Amino acid sequence: QVQLVESGGGLVQTGGSLRLSCIGSGRTFSSVAMGWFRQAPGKEREFVAGITWSGTYTKYADSVKGRFTISRENAKNTVYLQMNSLKPEDTAAYYCAAYSISAIPTTTPNYWGLGTQVTVSS
């Protein structure tokens, strides 16, 4: 059974930092792109960041560029999202996702985690 399990969410003040982790199991994710999405209450789920299988190329939503960094450790089947300079508008449930190809597509990911809540207080 394929699983993606996120951790690292929590409550932080404006300007603070959090590091999210996502561990995959049930298959090897080292050959596919992975990403992070988020969904705030009453809003649609949106793309936050993506990373190719090798980690060479990354992609970010404009709203998080320069503040968030996605990275991965293939040997650990793990992807991270370092979030700095957090703002109240970053408050959302954050979801880890995995694709079926090595590049970062615009299509819907094939696998999803259950999410971890990030709340940024003003």
Side-chain angles (χ1 to χ4, degrees):
Q1 181 182 0
V2 175
Q3 281 190 317
L4 295 172
V5 179
E6 304 94 336
S7 63
L11 174 64
V12 65
Q13 291 185 335
T14 296
S17 298
L18 283 175
R19 189 194 195 202
L20 305 184
S21 299
C22 171
I23 299 176
S25 63
R27 62 156 288 174
T28 299
F29 290 96
S30 59
S31 62
V32 299
M34 297 188 73
W36 288 94
F37 289 70
R38 67 186 181 187
Q39 187 169 18
K43 295 187 177 181
E44 293 186 353
R45 190 171 297 189
E46 63 176 1
F47 172 82
V48 174
I51 187 167
T52 55
W53 72 275
S54 64
T56 302
Y57 297 104
T58 57
K59 181 179 178 181
Y60 297 93
D62 289 342
S63 58
V64 306
K65 279 181 183 176
R67 300 188 298 121
F68 290 10
T69 303
I70 188 171
S71 61
R72 65 189 299 165
E73 285 189 77
N74 286 339
K76 296 183 179 180
N77 238 18
T78 300
V79 64
Y80 305 98
L81 185 67
Q82 177 66 43
M83 305 186 295
N84 299 328
S85 302
L86 283 162
K87 305 174 182 180
E89 50 264 44
D90 294 318
T91 295
Y94 283 73
Y95 298 89
C96 176
Y99 298 92
S100 61
I101 59 176
S102 58
I104 306 170
T106 58
T107 53
T108 301
N110 297 79
Y111 304 102
W112 293 95
L114 294 180
T116 185
Q117 179 66 35
V118 171
T119 302
V120 184
S121 63
S122 57

